[in-house]
Amino acid sequence: IRGTIVSITDADVFVDVGAKSEAWLSRRELCDTAGNLLFELGQEIEAQVIRADGEGIRLSYGALQARVLSEQLADAATSGIAVEGRVDGFNEGGLEVRVGNRRAFCPKSQIDRTVGDDLSVHVGRTYRFVVRQYDETGRNIVLSRRILLEREAKEQAAETLKVLQVGAILDGRVRKVMPFGVFVDLGGVD
């Protein structure tokens, strides 16, 4: 339901939703992690009705945000659209990632195009991921960063192949030194 904030107290926020009485929700739902209120008096807000009875209409901003995130994750899982997630930690199997307010997991084999041993370098970083697995409860979300990196490398290789010709001078990055020569990445093409 959508309405306009008409009153803010220390504990609650009251919203005019066009009913006989104002709907209300807990003030803390509208605060950031530092406790700062994210909405102002007179501002329009959209929230989910969680109870409507003799005591009035109770709203939840968090419930609506969780539902919207669930829909977005389900869509991302079926369409392959990337989502953004922040790496909160790691274990021997992979990365613990936060997508919105949901916990997700990225297996070690799906972090990069090559498997690295030191997963701690990823903690605190924000990456884009493909949702490989998602269940309705939101308790089992499996991500892959590798799929995106491989897609990007494929696109980059196609662009590099367009300009690749005998005598061309290109910037590259040495990937491997062998006794018989050097492998150089020219932009998705070795």
Side-chain angles (χ1 to χ4, degrees):
I1 193 168
R2 185 178 292 275
T4 304
I5 297 175
V6 294
S7 177
I8 301 173
T9 68
D10 289 340
D12 300 310
V13 174
F14 295 89
V15 181
D16 179 4
V17 294
K20 289 181 183 178
S21 63
E22 293 148 353
W24 60 278
L25 67 156
S26 172
R27 177 186 173 119
R28 73 172 183 265
E29 273 198 79
L30 302 180
C31 292
D32 62 14
T33 54
N36 301 314
L37 194 61
L38 300 172
F39 291 86
E40 299 174 349
L41 198 62
Q43 191 171 357
E44 196 169 272
I45 185 172
E46 191 172 14
Q48 184 170 329
V49 176
I50 57 173
R51 191 178 78 220
D53 55 22
E55 295 179 27
I57 302 170
R58 174 75 190 245
L59 304 176
S60 175
Y61 183 71
L64 176 64
Q65 299 307 308
R67 191 178 94 220
V68 168
L69 179 60
S70 292
E71 291 170 1
Q72 290 172 341
L73 288 170
D75 287 346
T78 57
S79 68
I81 294 173
V83 298
E84 195 169 87
R86 185 175 191 282
V87 179
D88 283 347
F90 64 96
N91 57 43
E92 66 183 48
L95 301 178
E96 298 165 8
V97 181
R98 178 133 330 256
V99 179
N101 63 353
R102 298 284 174 86
R103 290 175 33 135
F105 181 72
C106 181
K108 191 174 186 176
S109 65
Q110 297 300 309
I111 297 170
D112 210 332
R113 291 177 65 202
T114 57
V115 178
D117 290 331
D118 186 12
L119 299 181
S120 67
V121 299
H122 300 286
V123 176
R125 293 189 178 175
T126 300
Y127 295 125
R128 291 171 8 109
F129 298 91
V130 170
V131 180
R132 292 190 54 187
Q133 186 177 339
Y134 175 78
D135 70 0
E136 295 290 325
T137 65
R139 294 183 184 172
N140 190 16
I141 304 170
V142 180
L143 307 173
S144 172
R145 181 170 171 250
R146 181 179 181 166
I147 291 172
L148 281 179
L149 295 174
E150 287 175 349
R151 266 190 222 160
E152 291 168 1
K154 192 174 185 179
E155 291 168 5
Q156 191 178 26
E159 291 298 316
T160 300
L161 289 173
K162 289 178 185 176
V163 297
L164 194 61
Q165 58 185 333
V166 175
I169 298 175
L170 304 168
D171 289 329
R173 184 176 178 177
V174 175
R175 290 181 47 96
K176 190 186 298 185
V177 178
M178 301 297 286
F180 54 84
V182 177
F183 287 89
V184 179
D185 181 357
L186 298 176
V189 177
D190 280 359

